[in-house]
Amino acid sequence: MNVLHMDAAEERVTVLFLSFVSGKWRKIITPIAAIAVISAFLFFPKGQADDNTFVMSEQNPFPELIEEKIEEEIVSSIQIAPAPIVVDVKGAVRHPGVYSMQDGDRLIDAINAAGGYLPNADSRMLNHAMKLADEFVVYVPIIGEEVLDISFTPLSGASAPQDDGKVNINTADEKELMTIPGVGPSKAAAIVQYRTDHGDFKSPESLMEVSGIGQKTFEKLESQITVN
């Protein structure tokens, strides 16, 4: 009986001790927690925390990379304007005249700038895909008209003419042949092709064997060419 009484007494003492300790710690922890919360509000205001967060979000850890990317985008967005050129459109077009074009434009663009062809225009020999150049001349004949050449572009500074001012049609290349007034890209190419197929011209008159060069055309060219 004494043993049972002692066990019950010890159990009550233990419960009372734990209750006392738990209550004591609750009284100590509660004020500490309250002080911590108040300190957080006093020393770290909400506005300051927001500002710090905003500043950090605005910072860029790699400013050089961003600046380089921006510069590349600016350079790629800049388009170099084509160089202006001036061409002279003559013959069977609605509005013959001198027109300002852009480098890279084609012959058809010059024709359109001049209002297009007249109903009696003969455009069969025109290369509409040919790129224009500054000082380019385009002549559009009427049907049945024989012309020196439909289109040509003068070449400044060419070295083809000899001392007497004549061009050797046996040695001149296409650019040199086009220094002859009235000989454009198509006729120059035909002359070079003839030499390739048949050899040198035996005389100036043999130039009439080239396709597209007839008697009247030769008479206009005769004083400007030589085979020697």
Side-chain angles (χ1 to χ4, degrees), residues 145-183:
E145 179 183 1
E146 183 180 358
V147 295
L148 294 178
D149 205 343
I150 293 177
S151 64
F152 67 92
T153 176
L155 299 177
S156 59
S159 59
Q162 301 175 345
D163 294 338
D164 57 1
K166 294 183 179 182
V167 175
N168 190 328
I169 58 176
N170 281 330
T171 59
D173 58 17
E174 291 187 28
K175 290 184 177 180
E176 293 171 339
L177 289 169
M178 285 191 292
T179 62
I180 305 172
V183 175

